[in-house]
Amino acid sequence: MKRLTGFQPTGNLHLGNLLGAMRPLVEAQETAESIAMIADLHAMTMEHDPPALRRSTLGVATMLLAAGVDPARTAIIANSQVPEHAELHYLLECVTAYGEAARMIQFKEKSAAGGPVRLSLLTYPVLMASDILVHDVNQVPVGEDQSQHLELARTLATRFNARYGETFTVPEGVRPESAARIMDLAEPTAKMSKSSVSAAGRIGLLDPPEVIRKTISRAVTDTLGVVRHDRVNQPGVTNLLEILTACTGSPAGAYSSYGALKRDVTEAVDALLAPVRKRHAELSDDPGYVREILAEGKTRVRPAALATVRRARAAIGLLD
């Protein structure tokens, strides 16, 4: 079994990233051959600062290591450093219809907002398909917001195989059992996100205890005064209960007040993040080590990626 998990090098990673993607990745190391991919090529679909992009890419790699990703078992790569990603991207564009790419939700939303739209924004779901298919992975952990893109990857793989002969593994989307969908603490009907305008609803993985305490103390609840799991009528309280369960691994107990619940959530979150902060500080003192890990990851995955591209080139009719 081979699995790919992708991370965008934009913004600061938060508790939702840890519980929803990073922790399942760490757990999958026990049973699957895993690749952790930092999608720095995707970050160029919008205006960006080049030095900041490089820092963010290294920052995500550092955070993955701090969260427990073992580079001896999981290859950590940046997709820009594996040229087969970009080469396969073009080959897959040759079997993708314009309408398929234009229907992707991110392109529809951002192009409808007006202003300049980069061509790469239209085609980046095809690059995402290349990211997946080039590594012959069987499984891709995916949330609701990315399911449309995975379906495009499956469609393109199936179409290519039917037209040109069996070339690609058709991957399955999986939702890890341990993955938690963490909502924004200030807007509990929306997912915790790096891109939200306000940081009031996010808990960063490097937030110190006092910031964690302040953020959770201000978390939106309601006026009902009852602590119960009810996502429709009490989304804020439900989010706090689910964060507590995700952090401790045990069902939340009974609470008579929101204050007591927030106190326990604060303690559980800080206990979870304390070793991550400590390990991140150690790694930050040796940035050369993180670059070495990325170089080793690239060396490990390239032979298989190159074999996939060679199969695709031969199947579609290109010279050796």
Side-chain angles (χ1 to χ4, degrees), residues 3 5 15-31 141-142 174-182 242-250 272:
R3 177 178 291 200
T5 303
L15 183 66
N17 299 129
L18 178 66
L19 295 175
M22 300 169 82
R23 188 165 69 177
L25 171 61
V26 172
E27 293 170 352
Q29 295 177 140
E30 303 296 331
T31 57
V142 62
V174 297
R175 181 70 176 168
E177 292 183 6
S178 65
R181 190 167 189 261
I182 304 303
E242 292 183 351
I243 290 173
L244 180 59
T245 297
C247 289
T248 63
S250 302
L272 179 69

Side-chain angles (χ1 to χ4, degrees), residues 2 4 33-38 61 65 69-85 135 289-306:
K2 195 172 184 181
L4 174 80
E33 178 185 354
S34 295
I35 299 172
M37 185 198 73
I38 304 166
L65 292 167
V69 176
D70 180 0
R73 293 183 291 177
T74 298
I76 302 175
I77 64 170
N79 63 350
S80 67
Q81 293 185 317
V82 181
E84 288 73 25
H85 285 249
H135 294 293
Y289 171 74
V290 179
R291 287 182 177 273
E292 289 175 7
I293 293 301
L294 288 170
E296 291 171 3
K298 174 181 67 175
T299 299
R300 193 187 314 176
V301 304
R302 279 204 70 188
L306 181 58

Side-chain angles (χ1 to χ4, degrees), residues 32 34 49-50 54 93 132 145 155 159 185 211 240 280 307:
S34 295
D49 176 61
R54 284 189 287 271
E93 283 185 338
I132 295 167
D145 56 340
T155 296
R159 181 181 301 156
L185 292 167
V211 173
L240 290 171
H280 185 273

Side-chain angles (χ1 to χ4, degrees), residues 209-230:
E210 60 272 18
V211 173
I212 294 172
R213 182 171 57 255
K214 181 181 294 186
T215 302
I216 294 175
S217 71
R218 295 176 177 176
V220 169
T221 51
D222 50 59
T223 59
L224 298 179
V226 179
V227 178
R228 64 187 175 191
H229 193 285
D230 184 344

Side-chain angles (χ1 to χ4, degrees), residues 63-113:
M63 194 63 76
L64 288 169
L65 292 167
V69 176
D70 180 0
R73 293 183 291 177
T74 298
I76 302 175
I77 64 170
N79 63 350
S80 67
Q81 293 185 317
V82 181
E84 288 73 25
H85 285 249
E87 183 172 2
L88 185 58
H89 178 199
Y90 179 74
L91 300 185
L92 292 178
E93 283 185 338
C94 295
V95 295
T96 306
Y98 169 82
E100 288 176 308
R103 282 196 296 271
M104 297 294 106
I105 188 66
Q106 280 86 350
F107 178 76
K108 289 176 65 176
E109 290 177 349
K110 292 179 181 179
S111 58

Side-chain angles (χ1 to χ4, degrees), residues 120-143:
S120 56
L121 181 64
L122 173 67
T123 63
Y124 101 90
V126 187
L127 175 59
M128 187 179 293
S130 170
D131 293 334
I132 295 167
L133 300 180
V134 77
H135 294 293
D136 278 332
V137 298
N138 311 95
Q139 294 184 344
V140 181
V142 62

Side-chain angles (χ1 to χ4, degrees), residues 262-309:
K262 288 182 176 181
R263 181 197 62 228
D264 283 1
V265 173
T266 299
E267 292 177 357
V269 170
D270 188 53
L272 179 69
L273 296 187
V276 176
R277 292 193 301 263
K278 181 176 183 294
R279 179 60 176 148
H280 185 273
E282 295 168 352
L283 291 165
S284 296
D285 288 337
D286 188 7
Y289 171 74
V290 179
R291 287 182 177 273
E292 289 175 7
I293 293 301
L294 288 170
E296 291 171 3
K298 174 181 67 175
T299 299
R300 193 187 314 176
V301 304
R302 279 204 70 188
L306 181 58
T308 300
V309 169

